[in-house]
Amino acid sequence: RLMAKIGRNEPCPCGSGKKYKRCCMSTVGKQHADFVDNIEQMLAMNPDLSMDELNVIVEHQSNKINNTPHKDFCGLTPGQVNNWLYAPFSELDGITINTPPDLSTSPVMRYLELMLETALANGGQIKATAKGNLPAALVKEASAFLPEFAVVPFERAISISEFAGANEDKFNALHYCRILAEITGIFKLKSNKFHVSAWAKRQYQQTGLESFFPMMLETAVYKYNWGYFDLWEDEIPLQQFWLFMVWRLQHHESQQRLVDEMIQAFPDLLNELYEEEYMSDRDKFAVLIESRFIHRFLQFFGFVMVDPRRFIDGKRVSPQITCLPLFHETFEFSVG
């Protein structure tokens, strides 16, 4: 027997107390409701259908929905969206993720290379500070890379730079790299020393830095907590949508359009935000995308450059984003 349809304005069955349309009735949920409606209508018109015949019809209708481009998803099919949201890194469809031959413009990869070279020059280890951070000498060397990165035209005082600093605590891009390297298992902190794992040492000596790029990328999007650096309490699953956002940003380089497209495709994300007295849900969502996705993922990897100016010639402007060559070399889409 088919499940009874839940009205859009009825209380959501999840128990949240919200109306169904404002809670669990997502874009995909709406499609499912329409699907159920169609099957019920067909049963009413053909009450003598056998179970086998019904199963064939259901399968046909399901495949039709999953493989039909949807305007809310910017032309992707629900099946493609489902793959991007839930498939493992190695099973993503419609995208080829390459390892660029030159990673010198990627802050994260340059810092990882520095950590590996420093450790291998010291018996496979780096002595940590009392707080368990990277030593000041290495931090100073990493800071010297800044002039070689795309972000340098917009860098100001070193005290507020994310790509330079006097210690790891205030050097966010380096700290991010070190965390990814530990989660990936390239380095392990024990006895107040960062040790290169045996497999990582062997791999680096045999195939070089490039072999770690896919691992660091996969860790960044699947295992790292995107809210780590900010003070927002919102735990929206933004990184689940990382590939959709990469795809859209490659198309138009516009944060404003990206935010609008995310809300259009996945409106229920706004319902998961904590309400702010002086900020709309949309504005807060935009801040989270800019901070967690654009600044502290794409920029840290060297995929984009963001102009931090919010006023030009006295007029307020939206963030100006430039997709860098490394971005296009890494992500090659065969959809849309």
Side-chain angles (χ1 to χ4, degrees):
R1 187 174 179 274
L2 292 171
M3 191 173 70
K5 187 172 74 172
I6 303 166
R8 287 166 53 82
N9 292 308
E10 291 179 23
C12 188
C14 76
S16 66
K18 299 178 183 177
K19 291 182 179 179
Y20 181 48
K21 68 181 180 182
R22 292 287 293 162
C23 192
C24 293
M25 192 177 183
S26 62
T27 299
V28 175
K30 292 182 181 70
Q31 290 178 335
H32 179 262
D34 291 341
F35 173 73
V36 172
D37 283 347
N38 290 337
I39 297 301
E40 287 182 339
Q41 188 176 6
M42 192 169 295
L43 276 174
M45 295 173 64
N46 302 278
D48 297 327
L49 281 175
S50 70
M51 186 57 67
D52 286 343
E53 289 170 327
L54 180 61
N55 285 336
V56 170
I57 292 171
V58 167
E59 184 177 359
H60 175 74
Q61 291 290 329
S62 178
N63 289 336
K64 183 179 177 181
I65 290 173
N66 284 333
N67 295 311
T68 300
H70 199 289
K71 63 179 178 60
D72 284 351
F73 297 138
C74 302
L76 291 183
T77 67
Q80 179 71 69
V81 172
N82 186 73
N83 173 266
W84 283 8
L85 296 187
Y86 303 110
F89 194 71
S90 60
E91 296 176 17
L92 296 169
D93 292 333
I95 172 71
T96 300
I97 300 177
N98 304 304
T99 297
D102 181 5
L103 295 170
S104 62
T105 60
S106 169
V108 162
M109 298 310 295
R110 287 292 299 281
Y111 301 147
L112 177 62
E113 183 179 40
L114 175 63
M115 289 175 63
L116 287 164
E117 289 292 339
T118 301
L120 294 179
N122 292 277
Q125 60 191 32
I126 302 171
K127 187 175 181 181
T129 66
K131 291 180 68 174
N133 289 331
L134 294 167
L138 189 149
V139 173
K140 186 176 180 180
E141 282 190 69
S143 295
F145 294 157
L146 177 56
E148 302 172 41
F149 298 145
V151 295
V152 70
F154 304 115
E155 283 297 309
R156 292 158 292 186
I158 195 170
S159 61
I160 57 172
S161 172
E162 295 205 290
F163 298 90
N167 57 64
E168 188 190 330
D169 281 342
K170 296 180 179 178
F171 190 160
N172 287 341
L174 177 62
H175 184 53
Y176 174 80
C177 171
R178 196 260 286 178
I179 291 170
L180 293 188
E182 287 192 76
I183 297 174
T184 306
I186 299 170
F187 278 90
K188 293 180 181 177
L189 177 62
K190 55 184 179 183
S191 304
N192 214 42
K193 292 177 182 176
F194 295 101
H195 297 263
V196 182
S197 299
W199 69 266
K201 178 181 177 181
R202 186 166 57 250
Q203 190 154 321
Y204 182 59
Q205 291 173 334
Q206 291 175 355
T207 57
L209 184 69
E210 290 77 11
S211 60
F212 297 113
F213 181 74
M215 300 179 200
M216 293 285 278
L217 194 58
E218 183 175 2
T219 295
V221 295
Y222 286 99
K223 300 175 185 177
Y224 169 76
N225 172 19
W226 278 21
Y228 175 70
F229 280 107
D230 62 50
L231 299 176
W232 298 105
E233 295 180 5
D234 305 80
E235 295 182 3
I236 63 171
L238 194 60
Q239 64 202 90
Q240 187 175 4
F241 305 88
W242 74 278
L243 193 53
F244 181 84
M245 292 191 289
V246 164
W247 177 58
R248 297 316 304 154
L249 202 59
Q250 267 202 7
H251 268 257
H252 48 59
E253 299 189 349
S254 168
Q255 179 181 317
Q256 190 169 339
R257 285 185 62 183
L258 175 62
V259 173
D260 290 340
E261 289 165 348
M262 281 288 289
I263 292 173
Q264 173 182 281
F266 312 105
D268 293 335
L269 285 175
L270 293 184
N271 299 331
E272 299 188 36
L273 297 174
Y274 289 108
E275 291 186 9
E276 302 290 335
E277 188 175 352
Y278 303 107
M279 182 180 287
S280 69
D281 286 349
R282 187 201 179 282
D283 288 345
K284 186 175 186 182
F285 190 52
V287 168
L288 292 176
I289 285 178
E290 181 177 3
S291 172
R292 296 179 178 180
F293 172 64
I294 297 173
H295 281 286
R296 289 169 174 161
F297 169 51
L298 297 184
Q299 258 203 165
F300 281 0
F301 266 88
F303 293 141
V304 304
M305 177 175 64
V306 182
D307 186 335
R309 293 176 294 178
R310 293 296 176 264
F311 291 89
I312 297 178
D313 296 330
K315 295 181 180 179
R316 185 169 183 84
V317 296
S318 58
Q320 302 296 304
I321 299 169
T322 302
C323 293
L324 300 172
L326 198 70
F327 197 35
H328 294 285
E329 291 171 12
T330 301
F331 302 106
E332 287 189 77
F333 291 93
S334 56
V335 295

